[in-house]
Amino acid sequence: MNVLFLCTGNSCRSILGEATFNHLAPAGWHAMSAGSNPAGYVHPRSLVLLAREGISTEGYHSKSWDNLPATPDIVITVCGSAAGETCPAYLGNVLRTHWGVEDPAHVTGSDEVIDAAFVKAYSILRARIEAFFALPLEKLQHDKAALKVEMDKIATIVV
């Protein structure tokens, strides 16, 4: 099963989701990420955070949803809502859910404040991904409606 983490810039949240998902994924599950308007780079703080968590940063780069290596089965949008950010709508016959996370790249202030925003985004995504993998996926992947309900519930997890 291919999961696409989608946002606008593909420099922070969707990369954090993709890398964390792939780090935790059981056999047969794979994540990718993309943006509707990719920034063209991965935010350095995302890479530092992933490395600090023991998650490989090799091969991750900001990319457009026009160049996906595989067709997704599930699309998870991660755009936030507090800044009035509009999530891109992926077209295609896929299961969609929205796991909104505020963009740490837009946080201003001291290094400590900015780092804390990145850690918060990562922690929320990791908790949701862990909850996803705790689901009875072998059963749910054959019942898309039930899987959608569960994934929508996971969207409410905040740490």
Side-chain angles (χ1 to χ4, degrees):
M1 295 282 288
N2 291 310
V3 175
L4 172 63
F5 284 88
L6 183 63
C7 67
T8 306
N10 190 223
S11 70
C12 294
R13 295 161 295 179
S14 53
I15 296 282
L16 291 171
E18 174 188 17
T20 304
F21 189 98
N22 286 333
H23 180 73
L24 299 173
W29 289 87
H30 178 74
M32 51 195 157
S33 69
S36 58
N37 187 18
Y41 67 94
V42 177
H43 197 290
R45 288 181 195 260
S46 294
L47 296 173
V48 167
L49 174 57
L50 289 168
R52 192 171 62 234
E53 292 294 321
I55 298 172
S56 173
T57 60
E58 183 130 355
Y60 292 109
H61 60 283
S62 178
K63 58 209 158 295
S64 171
W65 61 2
D66 295 329
N67 302 314
L68 296 176
T71 302
D73 301 293
I74 298 170
V75 173
I76 300 171
T77 52
V78 292
C79 301
S81 57
E85 188 177 16
T86 302
C87 267
Y90 183 85
L91 304 176
N93 187 20
V94 298
L95 187 155
R96 293 176 193 85
T97 192
H98 177 66
W99 290 359
V101 177
E102 297 308 317
D103 190 350
H106 294 306
V107 172
T108 57
S110 68
D111 280 343
E112 292 80 18
V113 168
I114 297 168
D115 284 343
F118 275 83
V119 168
K120 181 176 182 181
Y122 165 78
S123 298
I124 291 168
L125 287 165
R126 181 158 183 138
R128 291 174 183 175
I129 291 165
E130 288 174 346
F132 176 79
F133 286 131
L135 294 172
L137 293 174
E138 292 218 0
K139 179 178 140 195
L140 288 173
Q141 71 186 37
H142 302 293
D143 184 349
K144 299 290 191 215
L147 180 56
K148 166 102 171 107
V149 167
E150 293 303 321
M151 291 187 73
D152 288 349
K153 283 184 199 171
I154 288 170
T156 64
I157 295 173
V158 180
V159 292

